[in-house]
Amino acid sequence: MQAEFVISSPDLAGRPERILPEFAFIGRSNCGKSSLINHFLDRTNLAHTSGKPGKTRLLNYFLVDDRFYLVDLPGYGFAKVSKKMRAAWFDLFRRYLMAQDRPLAVFHLLDGRHDPTAEDREVAGWIRESGHPSAVAVTKMDKVGTNARSRRYQDIIGALDLGPDTPFFPTSAVKRTGRQDMLAWVEALLAANEADD
């Protein structure tokens, strides 16, 4: 898999001029988003991980195999920023998700160790409202005991009110699990998009 950073933008106006399908990764700060992106792309540090949640503050575009963009959105929730900045991020999320001018699918990332928050549920509602294809990727499952995993999955599915047709991917960047299932979903959507062209 070939992947390269293309551009960072604080708003939709700065998106790449070349239109390709976009797969957005959105999740709470400290949910392991950068680690999962690196795992998904099979790279070590293309997306920068940080001990300080909320480091991603822009729309970060990565071109993958010259076929699609992976879009890393700012994390929400834990980031120590002003209320004004947090409100601006949520406005950016909504405008990005509601845009209909480009093919778009969304990976909503949830930390498997914790129950979804009110903000997680709000973002899940926006994703449903957008009408774009979406999937849930549950991170850090290596930190959840085997016997507890089924219950954690059910808790997340119930809290987010996920339909039975919503793809659900348990993942671990440490154990390197979940990537192939995510890639298969991406490939299916890319094939469907190419068939429509």
Side-chain angles (χ1 to χ4, degrees):
M1 175 177 280
Q2 298 294 317
E4 61 180 294
F5 173 75
V6 177
I7 196 169
S8 291
S9 175
D11 53 40
L12 302 189
R15 292 179 295 175
E17 291 186 8
R18 183 185 178 194
I19 295 178
L20 291 172
E22 298 182 8
F23 290 84
F25 280 59
I26 183 171
R28 190 169 172 81
S29 297
N30 209 30
C31 76
K33 179 160 56 68
S34 295
S35 294
L36 182 59
I37 288 173
N38 286 325
H39 171 44
F40 177 81
L41 296 175
D42 198 25
R43 299 288 288 273
T44 303
N45 58 358
L46 191 61
H48 296 292
T49 59
S50 172
K52 295 181 178 180
K55 189 171 183 179
T56 302
R57 302 191 175 193
L58 303 167
L59 300 175
N60 292 316
Y61 278 77
F62 300 89
L63 178 63
V64 183
D65 289 341
D66 203 41
R67 294 176 69 204
F68 67 91
Y69 296 114
L70 186 157
V71 188
D72 182 10
L73 274 69
Y76 58 86
F78 288 134
K80 293 182 179 180
V81 297
S82 68
K83 290 182 178 179
K84 182 178 180 180
M85 176 64 75
R86 185 174 288 110
W89 285 355
F90 270 76
D91 180 62
L92 177 61
F93 296 155
R94 290 219 63 177
R95 287 187 288 109
Y96 180 82
L97 291 171
M98 295 306 164
Q100 299 293 328
D101 59 336
R102 298 174 181 226
L104 173 65
V106 183
F107 284 103
H108 190 187
L109 278 56
L110 282 297
D111 187 331
R113 300 171 299 173
H114 307 299
D115 291 333
T117 66
E119 288 175 323
D120 291 325
R121 293 192 294 273
E122 185 174 18
V123 170
W126 294 345
I127 294 171
R128 281 195 299 273
E129 185 182 350
S130 76
H132 296 301
S134 65
V136 168
V138 185
T139 65
K140 304 185 182 182
M141 288 311 300
D142 57 289
K143 300 181 183 296
V144 179
T146 304
N147 294 335
R149 290 178 186 176
S150 179
R151 179 64 183 178
R152 295 300 306 140
Y153 301 155
Q154 293 304 316
D155 288 345
I156 292 169
I157 290 168
L160 299 184
D161 194 26
L162 300 179
D165 57 342
T166 302
F168 189 91
F169 303 119
T171 73
S172 168
V174 173
K175 298 294 185 180
R176 303 190 64 76
T177 57
R179 177 175 182 263
Q180 292 304 320
D181 290 336
M182 293 173 69
L183 285 173
W185 184 66
V186 167
E187 286 294 336
L189 290 177
L190 288 173
N193 182 72
E194 290 165 0
D196 290 339
D197 288 345

